[in-house]
Amino acid sequence: MTKTRIISGRVLGACALMAVAGVAGAVIGLPEYIARTAIQVAESCLDAPEDETRCRFVGGPLQMAGAPVFLENFHHAFLPTSAKIDFLDAKGETWTAPPQTLTDGATIPPIFAPLVGDRQSREYLMAAALHDAYCGVGNEGLETWQTRPWEEVHRMFYEALIVNGTPPQKAKLMFAAVYLGGPRWDDPERSLEGVDEAALLEEMKWCLDWIARNNPSPAEIEAWMRKREGALKAGIVAVPGYVDGADPRGR
């Protein structure tokens, strides 16, 4: 009797799942329905299964046109994009870099360049242009400028790096760099303006070492930053636990 009930339950469960799939829209196969459901709950494009409607660029490769633009306090040129680029993230939200987005292909804060390494590889370019459209210097007149929360914009940069072919570990290092050193608009409580650059650089070194040791998720990187921001703002040197062996997870 028990065995019969278990088998019946399994059959009913499968039938219910197929019924839900049918109600959801056009007739689709069970594997496709499962894939669509999985991508809806995926944390990032690194975890999401292949799907033509998510985690992809519309437009590209990156095209530049026009005269180089030199901005104050920068020793190198920026170039305007000539065509719109869209990016669909793991949640299916669309991000846009309009034409005339100024980019130097290197959205990483300059103080972190010695730690992160090459900032202008081909696999970074479209992600950098998208990030610049929302918070890059020289793009204040764009319709996209700071229209999304800063945390979401920096996370989008990570997702775009992954889709553009950046190795996951490298994408996490670059994400940490923009999260710590990038702009934080409309959020005075978490602003790091005024924090000594040497302190930011030391914090970044610790964070990159922690990432290399533990391969955390983007959410864990965000949690690391959030936990340690108070000491940074207060000018307190807070050596992470993993450095002195107190906690191998660095918490």
Side-chain angles (χ1 to χ4, degrees):
M1 180 66 70
T2 301
K3 184 175 181 181
T4 302
R5 288 178 179 174
I6 292 174
I7 294 174
S8 299
R10 289 175 178 171
V11 172
L12 288 173
C15 290
L17 186 58
M18 289 299 292
V20 171
V23 172
V27 177
I28 59 176
L30 185 58
E32 184 179 355
Y33 172 75
I34 292 173
R36 291 186 182 182
T37 303
I39 200 165
Q40 290 175 359
V41 300
E43 285 191 6
S44 78
C45 290
L46 183 62
D47 307 315
E50 292 186 6
D51 186 300
E52 292 184 356
T53 64
R54 311 284 176 98
C55 296
R56 66 187 180 96
F57 291 98
V58 179
L62 188 66
Q63 300 177 41
M64 319 296 285
V69 176
F70 290 88
L71 302 174
E72 187 177 358
N73 298 324
F74 289 85
H75 300 294
H76 60 273
F78 291 73
L79 291 173
T81 60
S82 61
K84 184 177 82 164
I85 294 175
D86 288 330
F87 173 66
L88 282 74
D89 65 16
K91 297 178 181 178
E93 295 192 21
T94 300
W95 300 80
T96 299
Q100 301 301 306
T101 296
L102 283 183
T103 184
D104 60 351
T107 197
I108 302 301
I111 64 168
F112 297 150
L115 300 179
V116 176
D118 178 20
R119 303 182 301 151
Q120 294 182 312
S121 173
R122 181 178 299 177
E123 66 202 25
Y124 311 154
L125 295 181
M126 289 207 291
L130 282 159
H131 192 258
D132 287 338
Y134 287 87
C135 62
V137 63
N139 291 311
E140 294 83 355
L142 293 181
E143 61 188 17
T144 51
W145 175 258
Q146 296 186 356
T147 53
R148 305 274 189 98
W150 66 268
E151 286 185 288
E152 293 182 14
V153 171
H154 296 339
R155 175 65 82 92
M156 175 275 294
F157 176 60
Y158 166 80
E159 301 292 339
L161 285 171
I162 290 294
V163 175
N164 210 179
T166 305
Q169 192 78 346
K170 182 69 172 182
K172 291 175 182 178
L173 301 183
M174 298 180 74
F175 169 59
V178 298
Y179 195 96
L180 179 62
R184 299 182 172 200
W185 54 93
D186 300 330
D187 196 356
E189 291 187 2
R190 296 191 62 198
S191 173
L192 296 180
E193 288 187 16
V195 174
D196 182 68
E197 283 195 1
L200 286 173
L201 193 59
E202 187 66 37
E203 185 66 33
M204 188 62 189
K205 289 178 181 177
W206 284 329
C207 185
L208 296 188
D209 185 37
W210 174 70
I211 291 172
R213 290 167 179 257
N214 298 286
N215 192 27
S217 68
E220 289 175 319
I221 294 172
E222 291 171 342
W224 161 284
M225 298 290 183
R226 185 179 287 273
K227 180 178 179 180
R228 297 183 56 79
E229 284 167 8
L232 267 176
K233 295 175 69 173
I236 299 172
V237 178
V239 180
Y242 81 87
V243 172
D244 59 16
D247 186 341
R249 290 292 297 177
R251 299 181 180 182

